[in-house]
């Protein structure tokens, strides 16, 4: 037996760099029997998206625009299944008109929104929507929760799912940029 640990630091660093909160969110989705996950590709959700793709019990659907996910969630509910919609805060603006469908038809809509335009943002184009996402969703009749602490991820998503699926309400869980980590953006000079 050798004590060669030359690769151990890299493995430990890789494990430490992968956040645990996406796994906690995945566990909450499984606990609430989410069978469809719709998303527009997003770096903030990359671990969760990969985990859902690995799960044969979850059908993953790549969307061209976020508002398609609202209709998909309605169809899932009508078909007896539960769905979750993953998107970035900039995609919330694309959903505003479609959110009236959830309000008028009273079907459950669980949205997990990775935030931009908050903590450490370097892309000025992300700031306006990132700063107004919660207020816009609230004005559209959506119940809004935000999670910034990784220890709160499971409970926040699980309780968001509870109110969505037991009350037939639209719920958005905003995953704060403080939790995800800032992204760097350097405009071309």
């Amino acid at each position: 037996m050798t004590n060669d640990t030359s690769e151990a630091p890299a493995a430990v660093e890789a494990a430490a760099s992968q956040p645990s909160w996406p796994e906690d969110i995945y566990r909450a989705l499984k606990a609430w029997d989410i069978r469809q996950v719709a998303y527009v590709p997003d770096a903030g959700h990359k671990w969760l998206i990969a985990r859902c793709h690995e799960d044969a019990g979850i059908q993953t659907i790549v969307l061209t625009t976020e508002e398609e996910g609202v209709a998909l969630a309605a169809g899932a509910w009508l078909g007896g299944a539960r769905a979750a919609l993953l998107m970035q805060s900039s995609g919330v603006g694309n959903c505003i008109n479609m959110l009236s469908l959830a309000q008028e038809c009273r079907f459950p809509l669980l949205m997990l929104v990775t935030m931009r335009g908050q903590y450490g943002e370097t892309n000025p184009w992300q700031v306006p929507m990132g700063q107004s996402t919660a207020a816009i969703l609230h004005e559209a009749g959506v119940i809004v929760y935000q999670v910034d602490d990784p220890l709160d991820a499971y409970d926040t998503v699980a309780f968001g799912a509870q109110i969505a699926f037991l009350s037939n309400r639209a719920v958005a869980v905003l995953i704060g940029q403080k939790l995800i980590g800032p992204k760097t953006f350097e405009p071309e000079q």
Side-chain angles (χ1 to χ4, degrees):
M1 177 179 220
T2 70
N3 287 330
D4 181 11
T5 59
S6 60
E7 291 188 39
V12 169
E13 184 177 313
S17 69
Q18 183 168 348
S20 64
W21 61 267
E23 185 66 27
D24 292 339
I25 291 172
Y26 167 79
R27 288 186 314 103
L29 295 179
K30 291 299 285 183
W32 277 93
D33 197 28
I34 305 295
R35 302 236 175 137
Q36 296 180 28
V37 173
Y39 66 93
V40 172
D42 169 39
H45 280 305
K46 72 180 178 181
W47 288 287
L48 180 58
I49 291 168
R51 186 72 169 100
C52 290
H53 272 281
E54 294 169 359
D55 187 329
I58 295 178
Q59 181 180 8
T60 56
I61 301 98
V62 181
L63 306 170
T64 55
T65 63
E66 293 81 359
E67 64 268 26
E68 292 172 346
V70 176
L72 183 130
W77 174 67
L78 288 170
R82 292 179 174 169
L85 171 56
L86 311 181
M87 73 178 99
Q88 192 178 85
S89 56
S90 56
V92 169
N94 295 337
C95 294
I96 298 305
N97 285 332
M98 285 298 287
L99 290 175
S100 63
L101 180 67
Q103 294 302 320
E104 289 302 312
C105 297
R106 288 292 298 237
F107 67 88
L109 175 61
L110 179 62
M111 298 177 283
L112 305 178
V113 181
T114 55
M115 295 302 294
R116 296 289 307 266
Q118 293 182 332
Y119 179 80
E121 182 62 64
T122 59
N123 183 341
W125 292 99
Q126 294 288 348
V127 175
M129 191 62 194
Q131 290 297 305
S132 19
T133 299
I136 289 168
L137 287 167
H138 179 74
E139 287 298 318
V142 176
I143 297 166
V144 179
Y145 301 112
Q146 179 150 337
V147 60
D148 289 309
D149 184 330
L151 298 176
D152 295 334
Y154 179 88
D155 285 345
T156 305
V157 173
F159 290 129
Q162 178 175 306
I163 197 165
F165 294 113
L166 297 183
S167 301
N168 291 335
R169 299 292 304 268
V171 175
V173 176
L174 309 183
I175 302 167
Q177 199 164 358
K178 196 170 203 174
L179 179 64
I180 300 166
K183 296 179 184 168
T184 47
F185 169 77
E186 309 244 352
E188 293 184 30
Q189 302 278 326

